[in-house]
Amino acid sequence: MKIIVNAEPRDVSATDLKTALHELGFASSAVATALNGTFVARGKREEVQLSEGDRLEVLAPMQGG
């Protein structure tokens, strides 16, 4: 299915958020996620089902000064 990931269209075969993150290369649990503008806690990602056209934002912490 096609979803929008960080403003880029992507194809995924996963149907839940946790699996999609692994498929997209965001396997680290140190990322924050929002689906269609709503924050999704790490522990809830497996429960969240994806639908065609969903908008996923993935943010990773940055280090530096």
Side-chain angles (χ1 to χ4, degrees):
M1 85 178 83
K2 283 197 181 292
I3 63 172
I4 307 299
V5 180
N6 294 343
E8 297 288 328
R10 301 287 297 268
D11 284 311
V12 294
S13 60
T15 58
D16 67 85
L17 180 54
K18 181 179 179 180
T19 306
L21 289 171
H22 284 278
E23 185 178 329
L24 293 165
F26 296 106
S28 170
S29 61
V31 295
T33 56
L35 185 63
N36 300 320
T38 302
F39 171 76
V40 179
R42 179 178 48 221
K44 298 288 184 182
R45 292 176 185 162
E46 193 169 2
E47 301 169 18
V48 174
Q49 296 298 302
L50 298 175
S51 298
E52 184 81 21
D54 276 348
R55 299 185 68 83
L56 174 62
E57 295 294 325
V58 182
L59 302 171
M62 295 179 64
Q63 294 182 348

